[in-house]
Amino acid sequence: MKDGKRIITCHGPRSIYARLFDKIREQWPAESGPGSDFIRDIVQEDLLSGRRKTVVTRFPPEPNGYLHIGHAKSICLNFGIAEEFGGHCNLRYDDTNPTKESQEYIDAIERDVHWLGFDWDKNLFHASDYFEQLYAWAEDLIRAGKAYVDDQTQEAMRAARGTLTEPGSNSPFRDRGVAENLDLFRRMRSGEFANGARVLRAKIDMASGNINLRDPVLYRILHAEHPRTGMTWKIYPSYDFAHGQSDAIEGITHSICTLEFEDHRPLYDWFIQNLPVPSQPHQYEFARLNLTYTILSKRVLTELVRGGHVSGWDDPRMPTLAGLRRRGVPPAAIRDFVKRIGVAKANSVVDMAMLEFSIREHLNKTAPRRMAVLRPLKVVIENYPQGQSEEVEAANHPEDAAAGARRIRFGRELFIERDDFMENPPKKFFRLSPGAEVRLRYAYFITCREMVKNAAGEVVELRCTYDPATRGGNAPDGRKVKATMHWVSADASVPAEVRLYNPLFARADPDAANFAADINPNSLEVLRDARVEPALAGRDSNHAVQFERLGYFCRDPDSTSERPVFNRTVGLRDTWAKVSGSGS
RNA sequence: UGGGGAAUAGUUCAACGGUAGAACAUCGGACUCUGACUCCGAGAAUCUAGGUUCGAAUCCUAGUUCCCCAGCCA
């Protein structure tokens, strides 16, 4: 604290607000930390000022694909705000386009939102729940002379819409009488006309600088089966005509969406003002999530799946929630990540390293430690008695004694990691090399005496000696080794398949328009000869584990009882790889 | 050349006329039976030019750059 320091406090309305904010915070304490952003500020002020008595939000996916981590940002925002301010959040399907939607996606969305850790309780809705009401409102608009049936072809409509810099021109059908409009619209509903024959349009302003206001389409004819309403409807409302009104019906107070809808807001408001809706929702926009080395676009993700570039929506390389789940990413890590990146209106690309940090941070605390050797190199302990073996004790978690310990079989023949041996080690390499002594974790110090090579000159086996006095991993004479290495017993270990994942795209900034060119050919590496300690073999659980010194892994559903398959969720930070320049 | 938005360390987000701060990343160091974790430290930013003000990232003016919009997609 400095002497003579004076802070000129701001009197007037601000300080009053500051006190009120404190009060609000007491009343609605955020779960962990104050977590604030411009949207939460708006919500707070609305509650303070009395403009709103309560907060109701909604997460409104269209069931035309799987949810990805970008949706997680929206889910955490909408459900999070509702929770923090004592309101509720609806799950609402924006199911207004039956040609793109399916039950598979509906099921996947519910599974994924639940998995992420949110619950809509009874508040599950569909835009299709409101089709009848929306239709009635459309007729209201027609009666008020604010909507008309347009017979123009799609091409003619496009031509008459004008361009970004030139105004559009009125449709020749714009001034049709109310009776004729009503008759035509009802016949559209009854299925009398073919797809594309006519549309219902709002009569707003063909010269507006905002193209969304140039007589937007309210209804189009679609003879298609809807996952929920079947063949009942032959016409379907557009997004613009359905969304705000659905919000109003549900009593949504804060309708939070992404930036690209910013210039739909005037249209959103136009409907709210011109229709007898039961409430007055407002729309707010935030910047969607972008991540380096991936593409968060349903279109691209769909093509990745359909084009066979990945094994499915839940391929562990996919940024989908299903993919992240299969990859072994804990939902809590995703929530933490979303909290860290914040919410703002500036377009941004978040470094994938931030996601990885959240994942590691969570897994470090929760994942039991195990030993596994990905690329085995055989080690024979020459001075270890033939035909004998013993058990050593290994802690399940170094920072959590309550996690207990397990016993691991040690014997004359072992496997170590191929990367942990170098015949001609560089200076900073302090693992195993000819003549060097290292510790086998929880077991003994061993020294490499001899290499066995095959005809090609490759090292296929190491002949070592151990120091029986170092049992448990400590030398009674106090001598130190520079490396501690993981290992498994040759006999008492289980063969496993391990799948290593690298970024799906080779560039930090892949081109969504031509994504195939940027796909990383080495995004998946399958190791078929891995060996894991037996404790890992039997378990059905897909709980995350740490393979010591390697990374966090989880059991893949492709596992069989005799052959487990593990996915690498994320590697450990690897300072050595940086120093040596050898990635893996 | 229309309309709507956004510009702060490498990245993401704070700072709401009064000391530009955090996290991730990067680089050092300590510790270590995981080259992990943890701990300590360092470098690193207000788009530009004017103006208002005792004082500007914040207000004003003019510019620059980037993003979105011309589906009967959402």
Side-chain angles (χ1 to χ4, degrees), chain A residues 228-247:
Chain A
R228 294 191 73 251
T229 61
M231 295 302 295
T232 306
W233 290 88
K234 321 294 183 206
I235 56 174
Y236 289 89
S238 62
Y239 162 83
D240 286 303
F241 192 65
H243 202 94
Q245 287 88 298
S246 299
D247 286 343

Side-chain angles (χ1 to χ4, degrees), chain A residues 133-144:
Chain A
Q133 174 67 79
L134 291 168
Y135 176 84
W137 280 334
E139 285 205 354
D140 287 347
L141 245 24
I142 292 173
R143 278 186 215 97

Side-chain angles (χ1 to χ4, degrees), chain A residues 511-579:
Chain A
D511 180 8
N514 185 23
F515 68 88
D518 290 333
I519 288 181
N520 175 10
N522 305 311
S523 60
L524 170 64
E525 192 177 352
V526 180
L527 305 174
R528 298 175 198 285
D529 303 315
R531 312 280 305 192
V532 303
E533 61 173 276
L536 249 16
R539 52 194 295 159
D540 292 329
S541 145
N542 62 347
H543 189 277
V545 294
Q546 183 194 96
F547 288 177
E548 295 218 38
R549 302 210 304 135
L550 296 172
Y552 298 97
F553 293 77
C554 73
R555 200 184 160 93
D556 189 86
D558 285 350
S559 297
T560 61
S561 49
E562 59 277 356
R563 187 178 176 78
V565 176
F566 291 95
N567 295 321
R568 182 174 67 188
T569 307
V570 62
L572 258 27
R573 277 188 80 237
D574 190 348
T575 310
W576 168 244
K578 264 181 219 161
V579 173

